[in-house]
Amino acid sequence: MNPLDTPLSLRLPAKLAKKLEKAGIVTVGDLLYEAPRRYYHWGALTPMHVLRPGEDVTILAEVVSARLIPNRSRAGVRFEVRLTDGSSEMTATFFASSPYKLSVHERLLQPGESFLFAGKVGEYRGNLQLVHPEFEGVDDEQATPDIEKRSNRPIPIYSTRGGVTSWVIARAIAVVLDSLDLDALPDPVPMQVRSRFDIEALGNALRLLHQGSTDQDVARAKRSMRWREAFVLQAFLAKRRLGNDALRAQSSPENPPELQAFLGGLPFTLTPSQRSAISAIGADIASSHPMQRLLEGDVGSGKTVVACAALIQVIAAGHQGALLAPTEVLARQHADSIRALLKPLESAGFPLDLRLLTSSTPAPARREIERLLASGMPIIVVGTHALLYARNLFADLALAVIDEQHRFGVQQRDALRESRNDGLLVHQLVMTATPIPRSVAMTIFGDLDVTVMKGLPSGRKPVTTFVVDAGNAVWMERMWQRAREEIDGGGRVYVVCPRIDEDDHPDELLEESTAPLASVTATMEMLAGVPSLSGVKAVSVTGKDNSEEKSAAMEAFSSGQAPILVATTVIEVGVDVPEATMMIILDAQQFGLSQLHQLRGRVGRSSKQSICMAVHPSVISDTSAQRLEAFASSTDGFVLAEADLALRREGDVLGSAQSGKASRLRFLSVVRDGAIIEEARESAGELIAADPSLASYPELATSLNDASSEELVWMERS
Ligand code: ADP
Ligand code: MG
């Protein structure tokens, strides 16, 4: 048995083990893998100006003075301790019914001494205070009388939870480390890999992490733990890729005449990256090995036509294809635009059957589609989630395209892939306009092949972006004037709001706001009173509208009959009205960078110059200001994705769905550790390729087994 799996109750006093268990720390491994949140140094006091009321903190502070004060109104006493960080002060207060109960505090908390204090920051008469903090003196005072050594030694600070303070964890760790033969801990990273990349063995890394004598020790330990975590993750993915090699799919020959006719009949010239994406995907589909490919192409890069080419290839071979879109608006638009793209094929004598299946497809049409699916006839079905419910009706589904994949969970994403009942898998093409930075792609999508389409169709001009302070009346007036000019020049204008109406309280708001946020209803009313827009018709689309209302509004907008569309983010993805030349985003501080970029992507879809206005209230947070600044400064989705990564926290990156589970990554950060992930990926790949069964690496094999059953399941949900 792995010593890390030993229950703590066998290693620690029962009471302590119970306490830790309540905090979710059950085994030796749980305890030792507890990553210090930060390190303090004796002598380097924790700055107090960064503390905020309500926070649970552990600080290192020096006692300035301490006095016992009888309570005026109530019986009992309080012991008030002034603490300093060298420049500012705060109070720690202890209450008791009699002075006697505070004698230990009095004896220990002497002026000039430093202690760790843990508790919730409160506020009393404008001053920060800790009420009844737990406190702890320097632990190895006796052991290391040498002042120099003592102040070099990093003090690990662990997250406190369930009443377990940082130093209780530290002491438990010390006991456990003493009782273990650290050198005998099984290490999933083989020795030769460790020496090649200069990684500490597991036991030593853990010792340095918790009890390192210098900052260098700690840095080395952290790197080793991060590297190890990345390595296990990547080995897991590499092994799964290998397992996938045994799987089979329906093959469809490359470059059929239908496809040639389609490409020949396109109204535009394909960009080089569209061409290479089409041929990479074409080769994948021609093989009997199931494709799992992620097509990353910036907003407007023309992914639909690539998907269309792939679908034609399977149809030409007599199979069925599906295109899944996240919204009804988008599914409908895809059906329309693909039909238009397929027109020339029909005249070339290759009629193709394409159907739209959504939750609002009338029953007779739905039954007809279901019948066609079951017949095994070659057919393309474009649809929303409704398609997932019909997945088992396909008699011969060979290719599933998932557009805007980030809108789907993995289970939905993979539902079509695994929908056949003959053991074959369905080729899968997932598309996204949300560029995924490489480090994230390698972690989350480590088992997908990735095709990146760079560049936009020629003749496109980058959208000019302005950040507009809504408090500036002159600017706002000028903005609506500009909208009028765009419309008079034949353009269309989007106005996006974070809310539908006054009753709408979106739960994804990025920033607290005091003023009410722009809503579609209020904006419609407001626009009616804007002088420069008099006589201009506006329509609105929100998630509340039914599908007829939505398509009527989209139709009015796209035809120009109502050249202003006021909408929520329902129009965020995929919507394609080439005449649109202006995007106005109200309360833009409420949207994330990739969302802003998606919204901006609704314009700039023709050779005309387009503009985007990101409107925000006068007062916004620094992060929001930086985000809007970054947004305005680049139109390159990849640059923005990197900027976004830098502005966001870990949990956000991996998606809210698994931010709870993301704690599974204890040491590694996809934001910070791109280089480590890259190294680990390469070396894990080599190792698995050389020894697929891991016969020579039993420790790694064991840890992957454990991992696949527990630690890594979160990845499946990404
Ligand atoms: P996205 O990658 O954002 O899904 P679309 O597939 O919706 O982009 O394409 C955006 C617009 O560009 C569509 O109107 C499409 O017809 C057009 N388009 C696609 N490829 C080209 C090209 N090579 N040249 C000109 N226009 C193109
Ligand atoms: Mg698209």
Side-chain angles (χ1 to χ4, degrees):
M1 176 168 145
N2 188 325
L4 292 178
D5 295 333
T6 314
L8 284 171
S9 51
L10 299 180
R11 287 279 175 276
L12 294 174
K15 212 170 136 205
L16 179 54
K18 264 255 153 55
K19 212 170 168 188
L20 290 170
E21 191 173 328
K22 280 217 188 91
I25 305 173
V26 182
T27 64
V28 167
D30 291 343
L31 183 63
L32 295 184
Y33 272 74
E34 192 65 28
R37 270 191 312 149
R38 60 171 69 89
Y39 293 83
Y40 287 161
H41 292 85
W42 290 112
L45 303 172
T46 313
M48 289 172 180
H49 68 267
V50 299
L51 303 182
R52 296 281 173 269
E55 268 183 326
D56 274 311
V57 296
T58 302
I59 60 167
L60 180 60
E62 188 182 307
V63 175
V64 182
S65 62
R67 58 189 184 132
L68 200 60
I69 307 167
N71 280 335
R72 225 175 278 163
S73 48
R74 288 171 287 146
V77 292
R78 67 179 195 274
F79 186 51
E80 241 184 50
V81 185
R82 294 295 297 164
L83 304 176
T84 182
D85 62 4
S87 55
S88 41
E89 293 192 0
M90 68 189 290
T91 317
T93 312
F94 302 87
F95 295 95
S97 52
S98 78
Y100 169 74
K101 294 201 167 134
L102 292 169
S103 56
V104 177
H105 297 71
E106 268 192 291
R107 182 163 50 77
L108 292 174
L109 296 172
Q110 295 288 335
E113 296 286 328
S114 298
F115 295 86
L116 287 171
F117 293 88
K120 197 188 270 306
V121 180
E123 220 169 358
Y124 183 69
R125 296 193 173 154
N127 290 317
L128 294 184
Q129 83 164 350
L130 293 168
V131 176
H132 276 295
E134 309 242 12
F135 64 95
E136 169 88 355
V138 48
D139 216 14
D140 54 356
E141 201 164 8
Q142 266 75 42
T144 324
D146 182 343
I147 264 307
E148 184 82 11
K149 261 197 193 139
R150 212 178 95 187
S151 66
N152 271 342
R153 181 156 154 58
I155 313 162
I157 302 297
Y158 303 91
S159 306
T160 52
R161 55 183 190 270
V164 183
T165 55
S166 175
W167 50 87
V168 166
I169 295 180
R171 250 190 255 128
I173 288 176
V175 172
V176 167
L177 284 178
D178 274 348
S179 73
L180 273 182
D181 179 1
L182 287 175
D183 295 332
L185 280 189
D187 191 337
V189 184
M191 192 156 64
Q192 70 269 32
V193 176
R194 285 201 311 261
S195 58
R196 181 170 154 210
F197 293 97
D198 196 23
I199 306 302
E200 285 292 340
L202 178 57
N204 213 27
L206 288 171
R207 195 183 59 74
L208 293 177
L209 184 74
H210 299 295
Q211 301 187 333
S213 318
T214 62
D215 289 347
Q216 287 81 347
D217 284 350
V218 168
R220 206 172 151 66
K222 281 188 189 165
R223 176 168 177 275
S224 299
M225 294 309 288
R226 286 170 191 160
W227 210 95
R228 176 169 288 100
E229 193 160 66
F231 182 80
V232 172
L233 197 59
Q234 294 302 331
F236 173 80
L237 293 168
K239 202 152 187 297
R240 191 162 69 179
R241 270 198 301 276
L242 205 71
N244 287 348
D245 285 349
L247 304 171
R248 289 285 159 264
Q250 198 72 271
S251 80
S252 306
E254 253 176 292
N255 228 348
E258 287 88 341
L259 184 54
Q260 294 167 26
F262 169 71
L263 297 176
L266 285 175
F268 43 70
T269 321
L270 291 173
T271 64
S273 30
Q274 281 174 318
R275 232 191 300 272
S276 54
I278 289 175
S279 70
I281 294 163
D284 281 358
I285 303 176
S287 118
S288 57
H289 176 66
M291 168 173 78
Q292 255 190 304
R293 191 171 280 278
L294 174 69
L295 179 62
E296 260 187 61
D298 209 343
V299 178
S301 60
K303 294 182 292 295
T304 314
V305 64
V306 174
C308 201
L311 287 164
I312 290 171
Q313 185 172 330
V314 300
I315 301 300
H319 309 303
Q320 299 173 322
L323 171 62
L324 181 65
T327 65
E328 170 129 17
V329 170
L330 191 51
R332 196 171 286 272
Q333 176 193 293
H334 272 323
D336 291 346
S337 60
I338 294 178
R339 266 199 199 105
L341 285 172
L342 293 176
K343 264 272 146 52
L345 265 187
E346 206 165 307
S347 24
F350 300 119
L352 274 185
D353 199 357
L354 182 143
R355 306 286 171 123
L356 175 67
L357 180 63
T358 72
S359 53
S360 42
T361 303
R366 166 186 299 268
R367 276 195 294 275
E368 157 96 2
I369 294 171
E370 291 173 356
R371 193 183 54 72
L372 288 169
L373 295 184
S375 75
M377 285 246 314
I379 180 177
I380 298 175
V381 187
V382 176
T384 52
H385 295 80
L387 200 52
L388 297 177
Y389 298 112
R391 67 177 185 271
N392 296 114
L393 299 174
F394 285 91
D396 186 19
L397 184 62
L399 170 67
V401 181
I402 290 104
D403 195 18
E404 309 293 350
Q405 66 84 26
H406 62 286
R407 292 297 196 91
F408 296 97
V410 158
Q411 268 163 27
Q412 294 175 320
R413 202 179 78 189
D414 287 348
L416 290 168
R417 179 169 190 257
E418 287 153 16
S419 64
R420 292 182 70 109
N421 54 18
D422 57 1
L424 294 182
L425 284 179
V426 174
H427 291 295
Q428 188 185 43
L429 177 66
V430 297
M431 308 201 292
T432 187
T434 304
I436 301 165
R438 205 175 142 71
S439 62
V440 178
M442 280 189 303
T443 311
I444 299 174
F445 298 111
D447 56 341
L448 294 190
D449 293 310
V450 180
T451 299
V452 175
M453 295 210 309
K454 289 258 181 206
L456 298 179
S458 61
R460 297 278 167 83
K461 299 186 184 69
V463 179
T464 315
T465 304
F466 299 95
V467 178
V468 182
D469 180 345
N472 186 334
V474 177
W475 259 94
M476 291 299 282
E477 205 184 302
R478 175 72 195 109
M479 182 176 85
W480 298 120
Q481 239 167 33
R482 176 65 187 260
R484 179 57 182 255
E485 289 159 18
E486 292 297 321
I487 291 164
D488 289 345
R492 317 265 188 279
V493 177
Y494 291 99
V495 182
V496 173
C497 312
R499 296 197 298 161
I500 300 175
D501 51 32
E502 305 307 312
D503 300 328
D504 184 15
H505 303 287
D507 43 29
E508 274 188 81
L509 292 180
L510 287 181
E511 204 175 307
E512 298 268 326
S513 82
T514 41
L517 297 174
S519 75
V520 171
T521 341
T523 304
M524 286 295 281
E525 279 167 26
M526 184 271 293
L527 288 180
V530 173
S532 47
L533 292 174
S534 70
V536 176
K537 196 164 181 298
V539 282
S540 69
V541 175
T542 73
K544 271 195 185 165
D545 299 322
N546 66 32
S547 67
E548 270 104 78
E549 290 165 335
K550 277 184 200 153
S551 38
M554 287 308 297
E555 171 55 30
F557 178 64
S558 137
S559 69
Q561 188 219 331
I564 296 186
L565 181 69
V566 183
T568 53
T569 51
V570 286
I571 57 114
E572 172 187 332
V573 297
V575 169
D576 185 32
V577 177
E579 293 82 4
T581 51
M582 186 170 186
M583 167 60 70
I584 296 172
I585 307 169
L586 300 180
D587 281 312
Q589 77 283 359
Q590 296 299 351
F591 301 104
L593 251 186
S594 68
Q595 217 174 6
L596 290 168
H597 181 58
Q598 284 274 5
L599 288 169
R600 179 169 55 190
R602 297 313 110 219
V603 298
R605 302 191 145 240
S606 67
S607 52
K608 277 197 188 168
Q609 177 66 55
S610 293
I611 66 171
C612 172
M613 314 292 249
V615 183
H616 65 83
S618 300
V619 181
I620 52 174
S621 72
D622 289 352
T623 324
S624 293
Q626 282 171 24
R627 193 167 53 242
L628 294 178
E629 208 44 59
F631 173 57
S633 67
S634 176
T635 52
D636 182 328
F638 288 85
V639 172
L640 289 175
E642 297 285 348
D644 196 26
L645 207 48
L647 285 171
R648 284 157 83 184
R649 284 164 301 126
E650 201 71 4
D652 305 338
V653 174
L654 294 170
S656 52
Q658 77 261 37
S659 50
K661 277 283 180 182
S663 61
R664 288 296 174 200
L665 283 186
R666 287 163 192 267
F667 300 96
L668 195 65
S669 151
V670 292
V671 177
R672 179 194 55 212
D673 298 327
I676 288 183
I677 296 175
E678 191 115 22
E679 255 179 24
R681 176 178 166 84
E682 204 179 307
S683 114
E686 282 169 18
L687 190 133
I688 300 268
D691 182 0
S693 68
L694 294 177
S696 325
Y697 308 102
E699 285 99 347
L700 179 58
T702 312
S703 114
L704 290 189
N705 279 338
D706 295 352
S708 43
S709 60
E710 185 209 344
E711 295 274 310
L712 297 172
V713 278
W714 64 269
M715 294 200 10
E716 311 282 351
R717 310 220 189 90
S718 57

